[in-house]
Structure formats: C-alpha cells, structure tokens
Amino acid sequence: MGGLILFALASLAGGLAANSGQLIAARAVQRGWARRSSPPAALSIVAVTFKDGAERNKALGVWGAVAGSGGAAGVLLGGVLTEYIGWEWVLWVNVPIGILAAAVAPSLIAETTAESETRHFDVAGALTITLGLSAFVFARSTPNRRAGAPSRRSARSSPR
C-alpha cells in the first residue's frame, strides 16, 4: 500500500513540476522506490491468497498477463495522452487510479501476517544478489578490452 500511495504522490508531483529538476526528482521517486516495491508486493499477495496447485497457477498466469498487457497499454495510452492532452497527463492519470486502488485494496485483500513466525533480514542474500547483479551490469556495460590493448577506435585510426 505504501508503494502505491507513494507512486500516486510522485505522479502528482511530476505532473505539477515547474522545472526539469523537480520532474527528475519526482520520476526518480516514482520509478525507484515506489514502482519497484509494488510488483513484488502484488505477486506475494497473489501467492498467499490462492491455494497451491491449479488455482494458484491460474491466478499467477492472470497476474502475468495483466502485468504484461498493462505495460503495453500504458505505452499506447501514454502516447495518446501526450499527443492530445499534454505530457503532464501521462503522470496525472496515475493519481485517481492510485487513490481508487488504495481505497479499495483493504476491503479486497486480507491481512496475511503470521503472529508465530519470526522474521529476519537475509543480509548475506541481499549482499549476494546486489553484488552479483552489479557485477553483471558492469560486465555488460563495459567495453571488452584486453589489458593494455588500445581501443578499436583511437584518435589515429578515426576516418578523416
């Protein structure tokens, strides 16, 4: 719920931005913390709401289809909004949707916390995945050069 509300507030702030710095800050909040927290939360709600087996598999399939379709529809709708109303509406359209979803969610989603379970933060797992993904991104974004070898395109070999 917190991520959903934060996403709606960041969308409102982005649509009201008076300069590029404010817009970038709002988009950073929107795309960073707020948007990244919602899909895992939604997936975990689907996983605990439906029974193991066919019922859960069907629900996960529907969740995946809706998520994929929503992404495609969002791009198309964003283009229409930008073309005919203005770029701000690409952000403002999220505000009423977020408010409605935040208002309706508590009545549709049951609380799933277990009193008897103790929770802990997996520090080793968090560090492993963070370092592993960082290494992967670094390796994919760094040119493949042998140590000491000149780059393929140096100043002397550029076309004149």
Side-chain angles (χ1 to χ4, degrees):
M1 287 282 292
L4 177 65
I5 293 168
L6 185 60
F7 186 81
L9 290 174
S11 295
L12 177 64
L16 295 173
N19 58 50
S20 61
Q22 292 173 352
L23 179 60
I24 290 169
R27 290 290 291 152
V29 171
Q30 188 187 43
R31 298 291 289 182
W33 172 254
R35 183 162 183 259
R36 299 295 177 227
S37 66
S38 295
L43 183 58
S44 66
I45 289 168
V46 169
V48 300
T49 301
F50 295 93
K51 297 176 189 168
D52 282 335
E55 185 180 7
R56 183 180 292 170
N57 291 342
K58 188 186 300 183
L60 290 172
V62 169
W63 180 83
V66 168
S69 300
V75 171
L76 293 172
L77 180 61
V80 170
L81 290 173
T82 301
E83 181 71 24
Y84 295 106
I85 301 175
W87 68 266
E88 299 91 350
W89 283 95
V90 173
L91 298 164
W92 287 339
V93 74
N94 297 321
V95 177
I97 294 169
I99 291 169
L100 179 64
V104 172
S107 64
L108 297 176
I109 302 169
E111 183 64 40
T112 58
T113 58
E115 300 282 331
S116 62
E117 291 183 27
T118 58
R119 295 180 166 189
H120 69 282
F121 181 69
D122 182 11
V123 176
L127 288 173
T128 301
I129 193 70
T130 301
L131 293 174
L133 287 174
S134 297
F136 175 75
V137 169
F138 178 75
R140 296 296 298 162
S141 62
T142 304
N144 188 10
R145 295 187 201 151
R146 294 186 312 259
S151 66
R152 289 186 203 174
R153 194 172 166 120
S154 65
R156 286 183 236 151
S157 65
S158 62
R160 296 175 200 235

